[in-house]
Amino acid sequence: DLIGEQRFLTTTLAGRASQARLFVGKLPSDDPLGEPVPVDDPVLQGLLDAIGRAATGRAQLVLRMVMNYFIAGEGYLVGFPPSLIAKVRGEDVSSLPAPADALITELEWRTLSIDEFNYKTEKTVEVKLAESGGKAIEVNVDEIYPIRSWRSHPQKAWQADSPTRSSLPVLRELVGLTMAIGAQTDSRLAGAGVFIVPDSARKAMLRAMGEPETSPEDPIADALLDAMSTAIENRSSAASFTPIVLTVPDESADKFEHITFSSAFDKEMRPLREESIRRMALGQDAPPELLLGVGGMNHWGAWLVREDVVTTHLEPPLALFCDSVTTQYLRPIMRTLGYSDAEIDDTVIWYDVSHMIVRPNRGTDAQAVYDKGELSGEALRRDNGFDENDAPAVIGVPDPAVDMAFQLVTAAPSLMQVPGLPAIVEQIRAIQSG
C-alpha cells in the first residue's frame, strides 16, 4: 500500500502468471521429470472447469494467489456453496440446496488472504468476502472447501515465506525515506527558512513610503511576498516558498541574512532512496532489470516474454498453485469417485506457458525444421505468430495420387513434359486400383 515499486513488481508478475493455461495431465511413466500430457477425461476436466467456472475466472484466482505468494507467502483458495454467497449478498436462498448438499462442481471459488480467512476453532472459520464489504462472517468449516497454499519457509516448513518477508528492513527504510522527503517538501519552514532583516532597513523603507517609523507595517516582507507570488504561477499562495521574515534590532543583525533549516542529510535522502529501491529489486523473486532497467532493454514487457524469466520467476508459483489444487482437491475427489491409486498418483493439474514465451529466432528455426519435413504446418504457423485461421483453405479431399505425382515430377522434372502430369496421375490411380 505504501511502496509503488513493490506493487508494480507484484501485480506485473502475478498478472503475467495468470495468463498460463491450466489443464489436467498425466505424468509420463517413462520420464519422471517429463511434462504432464493432457488427459481426455471429461470428468477430471469438469473438476478443473468448476474452479472459476471458466479460464477467465481461474485466471483471476491465480492472479490473486500469486500476489499473496509474493507478499504474505500464502493464501487460501476456498470453494463456497452458492447458498452461502447468495445469503451474504442478501438474495433469496430458498431455491438453492443447503450448504452441506451442494455439489463440488457448484461451488463458487474465491482466493482469500490470511487477513480474510482465519480459523476460530477446529470447526469454525471467519471469512471476509467482497460481497460482505469486509464484514467478518463465521462459517462451519464442513460447509466450505478450503485449500491452503503456501511457500514453505526453509527453516520452519509450517510457516510461509516470501520475498517481501526478507525485504522488510529495506521496505521500512524506503517508507521512512519517502515520508521524510514528503515532509521536507510540504514543510514551509524547512523549505524556505528564515530571512533576517535589520530593523533599520524596515524603518528606512517606511520613511521612503512616507509612513511613520512606528508603523506596524513591514513593507519588506510585503514586497517579498508580492514578488514571489507574481513569479510563481498556478499557486493559490506563495507562502510555502517564502521565508519567514523576522525584523530584529540592528545590534542583533546589521545586514540581511537568509537562514535555512536544511541539513547535510537532506541532500543524501534521495540517493539513499534510490539505493533502497535497488536493494529491494535485488531481494525480490523477480528480475531486477524489470524495475531498474538495463541497457536498451528497460521496458518491462521485453522481460516478461523471455524464457529464462518465465522459467525462473513465473513457473515456481504456478507449480505451487497447481500442486496445492492437485493434492488438496483433485486427488481426494478422484479417490472418492473410485479411481485407482495408480491413476490418482499419475494425475495432476498442471500449467502450460509455451504461448507466453517469445524466442527471438524461433520463427526462423521453425521454418528450417519445416523445410526438412520434421515440423507440421500448424506448428510453423504458431511459432511465427499465426493461428489456424491463417491456414490455407483446403478445397475438396486431398488426392494421394496427385500428391505422389507431384513428388515424382519434383524428383524428375522431365516427366512434366513426357508423359505429362495428367497422364502420371491416371497411371498412379490405375496402379492403386489394381
Side-chain angles (χ1 to χ4, degrees), residues 183-257:
Q184 182 192 43
T185 302
D186 294 337
S187 173
R188 298 179 187 178
L189 192 62
V194 174
F195 191 54
I196 302 297
V197 177
D199 185 55
S200 58
R202 183 185 70 86
K203 293 179 179 179
M205 182 71 75
L206 288 172
R207 288 196 302 270
M209 296 171 57
E211 298 288 338
E213 295 183 2
T214 57
S215 173
E217 297 294 330
D218 194 336
I220 294 181
D222 294 340
L224 181 60
L225 181 59
D226 290 340
M228 295 292 290
S229 299
T230 303
I232 302 172
E233 298 179 357
N234 299 323
R235 296 278 185 177
S236 59
S237 173
S240 59
F241 295 92
T242 306
I244 299 172
V245 178
L246 295 180
T247 305
V248 298
D250 288 1
E251 58 270 18
S252 299
D254 58 357
K255 60 182 178 180
F256 295 90
E257 183 180 1

Side-chain angles (χ1 to χ4, degrees), residues 97-395:
D101 298 330
L103 299 177
I104 193 74
T105 54
E106 295 176 341
L107 299 180
E108 295 192 29
W109 293 86
R110 301 287 187 275
T111 297
L112 302 181
S113 70
I114 56 176
D115 286 337
E116 298 168 329
F117 187 95
N118 291 291
Y119 277 94
K120 304 295 288 184
T121 66
E122 289 186 359
K123 287 293 184 179
T124 306
V125 295
E126 185 180 81
V127 297
K128 299 177 182 178
L129 302 175
E131 289 85 353
S132 67
K135 180 181 178 181
I137 303 170
E138 287 195 3
V139 182
N140 189 316
V141 73
D142 293 331
E143 297 179 350
I144 60 176
Y145 202 113
I147 299 173
R148 184 198 178 204
S149 183
W150 76 102
R151 303 171 68 160
S152 182
H153 191 275
Q155 183 182 15
K156 303 174 182 179
W158 61 92
Q159 290 187 3
D161 189 27
S162 73
T164 303
R165 176 175 178 163
S166 60
S167 297
L168 283 176
V170 178
L171 296 173
R172 292 192 189 100
E173 179 182 290
L174 186 54
V175 170
L177 288 169
T178 299
M179 289 185 173
I181 292 173
Q184 182 192 43
T185 302
D186 294 337
S187 173
R188 298 179 187 178
L189 192 62
V194 174
F195 191 54
I196 302 297
V197 177
D199 185 55
S200 58
R202 183 185 70 86
K203 293 179 179 179
M205 182 71 75
L206 288 172
R207 288 196 302 270
M209 296 171 57
E211 298 288 338
E213 295 183 2
T214 57
S215 173
E217 297 294 330
D218 194 336
I220 294 181
D222 294 340
L224 181 60
L225 181 59
D226 290 340
M228 295 292 290
S229 299
T230 303
I232 302 172
E233 298 179 357
N234 299 323
R235 296 278 185 177
S236 59
S237 173
S240 59
F241 295 92
T242 306
I244 299 172
V245 178
L246 295 180
T247 305
V248 298
D250 288 1
E251 58 270 18
S252 299
D254 58 357
K255 60 182 178 180
F256 295 90
E257 183 180 1
H258 183 205
I259 301 175
T260 65
F261 298 122
S262 61
S263 65
F265 182 68
D266 295 341
K267 298 179 180 179
E268 299 294 331
M269 281 195 290
R270 284 176 172 79
L272 285 174
R273 185 168 63 171
E274 293 176 1
E275 176 62 21
S276 296
I277 293 174
R278 178 175 176 80
R279 289 184 61 195
M280 182 199 73
L282 293 173
Q284 304 301 306
D285 287 346
E289 300 85 358
L290 185 63
L291 186 61
L292 304 176
V294 61
M297 195 177 181
N298 55 3
H299 189 264
W300 59 268
W303 289 97
L304 296 180
V305 298
R306 287 179 44 157
E307 185 172 10
D308 58 333
V309 172
V310 173
T311 302
T312 305
H313 301 291
L314 298 183
E315 290 197 41
L318 285 171
L320 174 58
F321 179 87
C322 291
D323 179 68
S324 300
V325 179
T326 296
T327 56
Q328 301 181 57
Y329 172 77
L330 179 66
R331 288 178 176 172
I333 297 175
M334 289 179 66
R335 186 167 287 106
T336 302
L337 295 176
Y339 284 83
S340 67
D341 290 341
E343 289 176 312
I344 294 173
D345 293 340
D346 289 341
T347 305
V348 296
I349 291 177
W350 205 237
Y351 60 88
D352 176 21
V353 294
S354 58
H355 62 287
M356 298 164 53
I357 300 172
V358 174
R359 299 180 178 89
N361 300 321
R362 189 173 179 87
T364 303
D365 296 340
Q367 183 66 54
V369 178
Y370 177 80
D371 292 340
K372 294 179 180 179
E374 298 295 330
L375 191 68
S376 67
E378 178 183 355
L380 177 64
R381 286 187 289 273
R382 183 188 64 239
D383 291 341
N384 280 279
F386 300 99
D387 57 30
E388 289 310 291
N389 294 327
D390 301 313
V394 178
I395 302 175

Side-chain angles (χ1 to χ4, degrees), residues 406-426:
F406 272 115
Q407 293 178 23
L408 291 172
V409 170
T410 301
S414 61
L415 294 176
M416 182 65 76
Q417 296 178 341
V418 180
L421 188 60
I424 296 175
V425 172
E426 292 303 323

